[in-house]
C-alpha cells in the first residue's frame, strides 16, 4: 500500500472514532507566505535575503503561490500570464528554501484581473473549467513532487465552484496520482463549512480573515476574547471532520482598523503597527497548544522590489514592525 494511502486510511480510522490527529503526528506549522506577482519574482536577487529573514522569525515553513489567470468569471480556460512565476524560478526557490532549513507548501492560485475576487469565478461550462483546472493543478502537483515540497494546496478560495464535491474529488484523485505529500484546500473563513471533500484531504485549510472587532483596537486581550467563540466552533468542526485545521492564510495590514476587516488591504490610510502586532499576538496565544490546530501560514512577507501595491508601512508584511518581534517571541526564534 502506498505511503499516502496508509496516511489516508489512518485519518479515516481516527475520524470514525471521533478523534482528531494529534500534534505528535503532524507538528504545528509556523509559516509565512512569500507570494509572486511576476514571472521572475522567485529568481529575484532578494530571494535569499527574504528566505533568511523569514527563517529568523522562528518560521519553519514558507508558502509559494504560483498564479494562473482567467479573464472573466464565466470563462472556462485558465492560463499563464507574465504575472505567473516561471517553473524554473519556482523550482529554484523551493531548493533555496530547503537549503535555509524551511519546509515548503506550494499553494497555486487562480485569479481574475485587477481586484476582482476569485470567489466570483462561476464558469459557464463547469465541466470545461474543471478540465482546465485539473491541467493547471496537476502541473504544480508534479512540480511539488519533483522538488520535494512537503505540503500542497489543491485550491484557494474558489467559493463559486468549491461546492461541487464530485468534481473536486476527481481533482484530489488526480493530484494524489502525482504527489504523495500532505494535501489541503485553502477555504475562505466564510466558505469552509460548504466544502464537501475534506475527508479526501489531510488537513482542513482555512484563510482565517474573521473580523474580530467593530472598531480599531490595540488590545490583544480583547481580540483573544473575540477569537474564543470562533475557536470553539473550529474545534467542534475539526472533531466532526476528523481532520486538524491549518490556517493556510492569516494576516493583518499595519493600518488602523485592520482587525475590523483583516481581508481588506485598504482599510485605512493611517499606519497602525500596534494594532497589527496585537492581532498577531492574539491569534498565536489563542490557538497555540490546541491539539486540533495545525498552525498558520501568515500572509505575507515583503513584496518584491518594484511590485508593491501598498507602501510597506501600510502593508501585510510584519517585517521591521512590532509584529515581527511578536513572531520571534511566540515562535522562539533562534
Amino acid at each position: 500500500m502506498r505511503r499516502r494511502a496508509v496516511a489516508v486510511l489512518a485519518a479515516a480510522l481516527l475520524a470514525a472514532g471521533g478523534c482528531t490527529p494529534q500534534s505528535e503526528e503532524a507538528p504545528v506549522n509556523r509559516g509565512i507566505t512569500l507570494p509572486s506577482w511576476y514571472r521572475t519574482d522567485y529568481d529575484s536577487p532578494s530571494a535569499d535575503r527574504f528566505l533568511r529573514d523569514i527563517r529568523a522569525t522562528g518560521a519553519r515553513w514558507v508558502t509559494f503561490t504560483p498564479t494562473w489567470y482567467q479573464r472573466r468569471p464565466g470563462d472556462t480556460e485558465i492560463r499563464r500570464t507574465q504575472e505567473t512565476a516561471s517553473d524554473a524560478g519556482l523550482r529554484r526557490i523551493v531548493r533555496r528554501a530547503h537549503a535555509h532549513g524551511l519546509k515548503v507548501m506550494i499553494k497555486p492560485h487562480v485569479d481574475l484581473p485587477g481586484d476582482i475576487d476569485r470567489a466570483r469565478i462561476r464558469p459557464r461550462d463547469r465541466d470545461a473549467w474543471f478540465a482546465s483546472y485539473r491541467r493547471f493543478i496537476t502541473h504544480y502537483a508534479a512540480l511539488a513532487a519533483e522538488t520535494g515540497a512537503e505540503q500542497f494546496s489543491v485550491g484557494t478560495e474558489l467559493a463559486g465552484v468549491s461546492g461541487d464535491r464530485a468534481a473536486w474529488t476527481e481533482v484530489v484523485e488526480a493530484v494524489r496520482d502525482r504527489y504523495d505529500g500532505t494535501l489541503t484546500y485553502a477555504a475562505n473563513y466564510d466558505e469552509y463549512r460548504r466544502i464537501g471533500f475534506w475527508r479526501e484531504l489531510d488537513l482542513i485549510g482555512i484563510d482565517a480573515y474573521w473580523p474580530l472587532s467593530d472598531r480599531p483596537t490595540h488590545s490583544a486581550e480583547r481580540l483573544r476574547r473575540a477569537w474564543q467563540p470562533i475557536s470553539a466552533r473550529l474545534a467542534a468542526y475539526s472533531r466532526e471532520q476528523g481532520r486538524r485545521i491549518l490556517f493556510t492564510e492569516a494576516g493583518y495590514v499595519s493600518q488602523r482598523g485592520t482587525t475590523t476587516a483583516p481581508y481588506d488591504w485598504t482599510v485605512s490610510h493611517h499606519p497602525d503597527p500596534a494594532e497589527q502586532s496585537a492581532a498577531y499576538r492574539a491569534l498565536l496565544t489563542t490557538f497555540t497548544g490546541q491539539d486540533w490546530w495545525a498552525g498558520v501560514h501568515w500572509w505575507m512577507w515583503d513584496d518584491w522590489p518594484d511590485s508593491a501595491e501598498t507602501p510597506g508601512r501600510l502593508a501585510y508584511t510584519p517585517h521591521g514592525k512590532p509584529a515581527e518581534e511578536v513572531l520571534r517571541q511566540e515562535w522562539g526564534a533562534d
Side-chain angles (χ1 to χ4, degrees), residues 208-226:
Y209 294 110
W210 279 274
L212 299 174
S213 180
D214 59 0
R215 62 185 184 279
T217 181
H218 295 166
S219 171
E221 181 54 36
R222 181 173 178 229
L223 296 171
R224 274 177 52 85
R225 289 194 298 272

Side-chain angles (χ1 to χ4, degrees), residues 13-296:
L13 291 172
L14 283 164
C19 299
T20 301
Q22 297 296 302
S23 57
E24 63 266 25
E25 297 175 9
V28 170
N29 287 203
R30 304 195 313 244
I32 297 177
T33 301
L34 185 58
S36 62
W37 312 118
Y38 190 67
R39 179 175 53 83
T40 58
D41 277 346
Y42 288 147
D43 280 320
S44 168
S46 303
D48 274 322
R49 173 170 55 85
F50 283 177
L51 293 170
R52 185 171 59 251
D53 290 347
I54 287 170
R55 182 67 167 74
T57 66
R60 296 298 179 265
W61 286 81
V62 61
T63 299
F64 300 125
T65 61
T67 305
W68 289 18
Y69 295 82
Q70 60 185 77
R71 293 192 183 95
R72 292 171 294 273
D75 285 358
T76 58
E77 282 293 320
I78 305 163
R79 300 178 176 87
R80 296 174 183 267
T81 73
Q82 285 297 303
E83 295 174 313
T84 302
S86 73
D87 288 352
L90 183 57
R91 290 186 181 96
R92 279 189 284 268
I93 203 163
V94 172
R95 288 198 298 270
R96 288 172 173 171
H98 284 154
H100 282 281
L102 292 162
K103 295 182 179 181
V104 171
M105 176 160 69
I106 295 179
K107 181 168 163 282
H109 288 188
V110 176
D111 272 337
L112 292 161
D115 294 334
I116 303 174
D117 187 350
R118 68 176 70 94
R120 291 182 56 190
I121 292 173
R122 288 175 173 79
R124 58 182 175 271
D125 183 335
R126 293 172 75 89
D127 289 344
W129 186 89
F130 271 106
S132 180
Y133 189 85
R134 284 193 298 274
R135 289 192 293 272
F136 154 75
I137 203 67
T138 55
H139 171 77
Y140 286 110
L143 193 150
E146 173 193 337
T147 58
E150 290 83 358
Q151 208 157 258
F152 187 79
S153 176
V154 302
T156 297
E157 296 179 0
L158 292 166
V161 291
S162 62
D164 192 331
R165 180 177 180 176
W168 281 98
T169 298
E170 290 184 12
V171 168
V172 175
E173 288 172 351
V175 168
R176 287 208 187 275
D177 282 344
R178 293 159 177 84
Y179 176 76
D180 282 334
T182 301
L183 293 186
T184 189
Y185 169 86
N188 202 25
Y189 75 98
D190 58 358
E191 176 195 4
Y192 75 94
R193 286 187 174 275
R194 299 194 296 274
I195 303 300
F197 53 95
W198 290 129
R199 299 295 178 98
E200 311 303 320
L201 302 171
D202 303 300
L203 292 170
I204 295 168
I206 300 178
D207 290 356
Y209 294 110
W210 279 274
L212 299 174
S213 180
D214 59 0
R215 62 185 184 279
T217 181
H218 295 166
S219 171
E221 181 54 36
R222 181 173 178 229
L223 296 171
R224 274 177 52 85
R225 289 194 298 272
W227 272 120
Q228 294 311 307
I230 299 168
S231 176
R233 291 195 297 270
L234 292 178
Y237 192 72
S238 173
R239 290 192 298 271
E240 174 189 322
Q241 297 295 324
R243 298 290 184 276
R244 299 171 78 219
I245 294 175
L246 174 67
F247 288 173
T248 36
E249 288 181 26
Y252 304 90
V253 289
S254 48
Q255 298 172 24
R256 185 184 304 165
T258 186
T259 56
T260 70
Y263 45 79
D264 187 351
W265 62 92
T266 58
V267 68
S268 170
H269 297 296
H270 301 283
D272 198 339
E275 185 166 0
Q276 181 191 45
S277 65
Y280 267 64
R281 191 175 300 280
L283 187 151
L284 289 172
T285 56
T286 297
F287 294 101
T288 299
Q290 303 280 357
D291 62 1
W292 54 266
W293 191 62
V296 59

